[in-house]
Structure formats: C-alpha cells, structure tokens
Amino acid sequence: MVKMKSNAIFSYKHGNSIIHKLSPTIKILLLPVFSLLIFNLNEFFTIFLVVTQIILCFNLKFSVKEQITDIKPVLFYGVMLIFAKISILIYQIIFENQNFKPLFLQIICEKETYILILKLLCIMQSTSILFKTSTPLELREGIIIIESFLRKVFHLKKSHVLSESLALFFIFIPMIFETYENIKFTWKGRQGKTNIKMFLVIFPVLLAVTMNKAYKKTLSLLARKI
C-alpha cells in the first residue's frame, strides 16, 4: 500500500522561523525585487544566492526532496534546453559534416545557458520560500494590504478585486499540484504504472477535481462579501 503524503510543489510547511513570522506583505514585495536583481547582476551573485537559498532552506527544515520538487519545472526546462542543443550538435555533425570536437566544446563552454538555468532556479527557489513559509490566507491578506495602499495613493475606489483574483491564483497553484500528487498516489496504490496511460487516466480526474475545488472556493469568497 502506498502512503499518501502532501509533498506538492509550493505547499505550505508549518514552522516558527523568522521567515515564517515575517510579514507576507514584505515577502511578496521582496520577490520581484530579488527577481530583478538576479537577472541584472552577474553570475557570481547568482551562484552566491543559490548557495545561500539552499542553506536557508535546510535551516527552514525543507528536505532535499521538497526542494527538488519545487524546482523540478526549471530542472525539466534545463534538461530540455541542453537536449535541444545536443540535437542541433548531432544534426550539424551528420548533415553539415562539421567537426565534433569544436561543437562539443562549444556546448560545454556555453556559459550563458547554464547561468540562465541558475537564475531561473534561483527565482523558483525564492518563490518556493514565499509559498512554503506563508499560508494562502496570509498571502491573501498581504495582497489586500498592497492593493489598499495603492488605491489610497492613487485615489481609486475601495475594492479588493485584484487581491481576490491574485489570492485565488496563489491558492490554486499548490492546490493543483497537491491534487495531482494525491491522484498519482492513489493510482500507484492500485498498482498502476507510471506511463502515458497514467497521464491519460488521471488528467480528466485532475481537471474535474480542481474545477470542483475552484468552484467551491469561489463560492466561499463570494459568501464572505455578502
């Protein structure tokens, strides 16, 4: 029997660290600032920040598996990017009769590609820390504070339309992945294999379950406004 766990991407992890206690408003505002810094500063800053984030994640009691789960989309992207470059290399060798060694060394020494992947990993890890140390309710409250401040500064009508939309978006990201993981565990618990058939079977279920949860969450938010 397969034991079901909640190890979905960007899922909240309870803790009492300084990062957990930090205002979600500050964390939300810091995320785009970090992203801009990562893309505009040199590779040494990126490497330093990646190492710092890994150390921070271990201090926050995030396991290696949890960290890999959250950065998995970027890892897949990196693998696909390198695979595409290798495919081009093979094409040039076979059909354009180019020398293997210079082309191979060119791919190995192509620093920009690896730095880009590192920067994306860094941003993904920053996003992971935000989600793992803030509950959906805290994120919602943080967005409401930001929107209320902006509306006050620009003398706009008091409303939380943008906040509610972003809050739903923040809630649905971990919810979709958590639902996927639960369905996948159920599939494996019934001795199902990880293959194309699995994805064809669980995708309609994932779609139906997430749409139902989204509908109920929307009704819940509408009921609060009445």
Side-chain angles (χ1 to χ4, degrees):
M1 183 178 177
V2 180
K3 187 179 178 181
M4 190 175 293
K5 299 180 183 179
S6 179
N7 191 34
I9 185 171
F10 294 161
S11 57
Y12 173 73
K13 185 163 185 176
H14 179 73
N16 294 311
S17 68
I18 297 173
I19 306 296
H20 280 85
K21 294 176 182 178
L22 186 66
S23 168
T25 306
I26 295 174
K27 287 187 279 189
I28 292 168
L29 291 172
L30 283 176
L31 184 60
V33 174
F34 271 123
S35 300
L36 288 171
L37 283 174
I38 289 164
F39 271 107
N40 287 284
L41 295 178
N42 61 36
E43 61 269 20
F44 298 106
F45 174 79
T46 304
I47 294 168
F48 169 77
L49 198 53
V50 167
V51 174
T52 303
Q53 285 178 328
I54 292 171
I55 294 170
L56 176 61
C57 287
F58 280 119
N59 286 330
L60 292 171
K61 310 298 182 184
F62 300 164
S63 67
V64 174
K65 185 178 180 181
E66 287 172 331
Q67 293 182 52
I68 292 174
T69 298
D70 283 357
I71 62 173
K72 197 179 289 183
V74 177
L75 293 177
F76 280 136
Y77 171 76
V79 170
M80 291 300 295
L81 192 62
I82 294 170
F83 176 76
K85 289 184 176 295
I86 292 173
S87 299
I88 293 170
L89 168 67
I90 293 171
Y91 176 86
Q92 289 176 330
I93 292 170
I94 295 175
F95 297 101
E96 297 181 3
N97 297 320
Q98 294 194 30
N99 195 349
F100 169 77
K101 187 174 285 186
L103 289 172
F104 180 74
L105 289 174
Q106 183 181 341
I107 290 177
I108 295 297
C109 300
E110 194 172 349
K111 186 175 70 173
E112 289 77 12
T113 300
Y114 306 117
I115 293 300
L116 172 62
I117 295 170
L118 261 183
K119 288 178 184 290
L120 292 174
L121 281 173
C122 202
I123 292 172
M124 200 71 170
Q125 190 72 297
S126 300
T127 308
S128 168
I129 292 170
L130 169 66
F131 277 94
K132 282 193 174 297
T133 59
S134 308
T135 64
L137 181 60
E138 288 173 338
L139 291 172
R140 178 175 176 269
E141 290 173 350
I143 298 167
I144 288 174
I145 291 171
I146 295 169
E147 184 180 9
S148 298
F149 174 77
L150 291 174
R151 286 183 178 275
K152 186 176 180 180
V153 170
F154 294 103
H155 305 288
L156 299 173
K157 182 181 176 181
K158 287 185 178 180
S159 175
H160 297 142
V161 176
L162 179 61
S163 302
E164 298 295 354
S165 300
L166 286 174
L168 283 172
F169 175 72
F170 281 148
I171 291 168
F172 290 154
I173 291 175
M175 185 191 73
I176 289 169
F177 285 101
E178 184 177 0
T179 304
Y180 168 75
E181 290 295 333
N182 289 338
I183 296 171
K184 186 178 175 183
F185 274 117
T186 303
W187 172 267
K188 289 186 175 182
R190 296 179 178 179
Q191 308 303 317
K193 296 181 180 179
T194 305
N195 49 30
I196 296 175
K197 181 183 176 181
M198 182 192 80
F199 292 105
L200 292 174
V201 171
I202 70 174
F203 180 74
V205 179
L206 174 65
L207 188 64
V209 173
T210 50
M211 286 184 68
N212 183 50
K213 287 186 177 182
Y215 175 69
K216 289 181 178 179
K217 182 62 68 175
T218 304
L219 290 179
S220 176
L221 287 172
L222 289 172
R224 291 179 186 179
K225 296 178 181 180
I226 298 173

